[in-house]
Amino acid sequence: VAHRLSNHCARFSAVQMSDQTLAYVEKDGTWLDARVTSRDAENVTLETLEGQHSFTIPADQLLLANALPEDGVEDMTRLNYLHEPALLSNLRQRFARDHVYTYTGKICIAVNPFNWQVSKPLYEEHVLLKYLGREMGEQPPHIYAVAEDAYQKINSHASGGGNQSILVSGESGAGKTESVKIMMQYLATVSKSGDQNKVAQQVLATNPLLEAFGNARTSRNNNSSRF
């Protein structure tokens, strides 16, 4: 994401302030929390919550803040205001509560916690079992739900079944390779029955290839230190 989010954004966007209209304003590539101080048909004047800066912007460019629940919103398509700083605010709010995964419709956004104490419980067997045979959205956001959705469609007789693709993208070091490995482990687990066990073995056999790609050096990150 091109813009950075100020440290206080999630805190204020989660609070109802009846006497103020909260919004976001951009300064030097950073989204700042602001309050609307005046407005007319053409322009809006905003002041940052810290009171250090004042901005006047066209009224049609006003980006209002959402009042978020304590744990944020699991599916961001449900936000009243859907724009870049609103998405970042919700992700920050959820990240602060150790919620790694958030949906935007069928898209699952993962924020790498860089904390094994947060990550490890997410992939225990009892968590995996909660997603078996469940529709996406029935359980809290998780990459298991994405894998389960693809698995169901592969085996769906109503839709004729067929191949499925899962696109994993992100910044260098965001956890793309690990995310793919987690989904492969899930698919291997749910397909371990009868002849399908061969599928599980084939899926897991791709691990070395994925590690090779994931270990490639890029212009943004030298991952050779992984091994």
Side-chain angles (χ1 to χ4, degrees):
V1 177
H3 297 285
R4 299 185 303 277
L5 190 65
S6 65
N7 290 332
H8 305 291
C9 187
R11 179 171 54 132
F12 283 103
S13 63
V15 177
Q16 292 278 6
M17 294 185 177
S18 58
D19 59 334
Q20 299 183 67
T21 299
L22 301 182
Y24 306 100
V25 64
E26 181 188 2
K27 182 179 186 297
D28 299 330
T30 299
W31 291 111
L32 303 175
D33 305 291
R35 61 174 65 88
V36 176
T37 56
S38 66
R39 63 187 304 171
D40 54 37
E42 296 183 357
N43 297 304
V44 178
T45 301
L46 303 101
E47 180 184 60
T48 59
L49 294 184
E50 297 175 349
Q52 296 180 349
H53 304 282
S54 180
F55 302 85
T56 299
I57 62 173
D60 61 357
Q61 295 181 15
L62 179 63
L63 301 177
L64 294 174
N66 293 289
L68 297 174
E70 186 176 1
D71 286 329
V73 177
E74 291 186 347
D75 187 344
M76 294 196 289
T77 61
R78 299 175 183 173
L79 292 173
N80 289 329
Y81 307 113
L82 196 59
H83 44 67
E84 183 177 309
L87 299 182
L88 293 174
S89 176
N90 186 64
L91 290 173
R92 180 182 290 277
Q93 179 103 348
R94 289 182 57 75
F95 183 78
R97 303 285 295 177
D98 293 335
H99 298 305
V100 172
Y101 296 109
T102 304
Y103 292 144
T104 300
K106 288 288 188 178
I107 300 171
C108 182
I109 300 174
V111 181
N112 192 338
F114 294 101
N115 185 338
W116 186 238
Q117 291 182 337
V118 174
S119 299
K120 185 178 180 180
L122 291 173
Y123 312 111
E124 294 177 348
E125 184 177 3
H126 72 92
V127 177
L128 183 151
L129 295 176
K130 292 180 180 180
Y131 292 85
L132 290 179
R134 306 298 291 270
E135 296 293 330
M136 197 168 179
E138 291 184 15
Q139 294 291 327
H142 202 293
I143 199 169
Y144 284 161
V146 177
E148 174 65 26
D149 186 60
Y151 184 72
Q152 287 185 20
K153 287 181 170 58
I154 289 173
N155 294 299
S156 174
H157 296 293
S159 62
N163 297 329
Q164 294 289 308
S165 297
I166 300 174
L167 175 64
V168 182
S169 64
E171 290 280 345
S172 181
K176 298 182 295 298
T177 303
E178 288 301 314
S179 294
V180 172
K181 288 166 60 179
I182 291 166
M183 286 189 288
M184 289 196 313
Q185 286 286 356
Y186 182 91
L187 293 171
T189 300
V190 300
S191 65
K192 281 183 178 178
S193 60
D195 292 338
Q196 289 185 335
N197 192 43
K198 295 180 180 179
V199 176
Q201 294 175 355
Q202 291 174 346
V203 168
L204 293 178
T206 63
N207 257 334
L209 180 63
L210 285 169
E211 286 288 357
F213 280 111
N215 195 44
R217 181 175 182 175
T218 70
S219 60
R220 297 289 299 278
N221 187 24
N222 183 358
N223 279 344
S224 60
S225 60
R226 181 179 295 178
F227 299 120

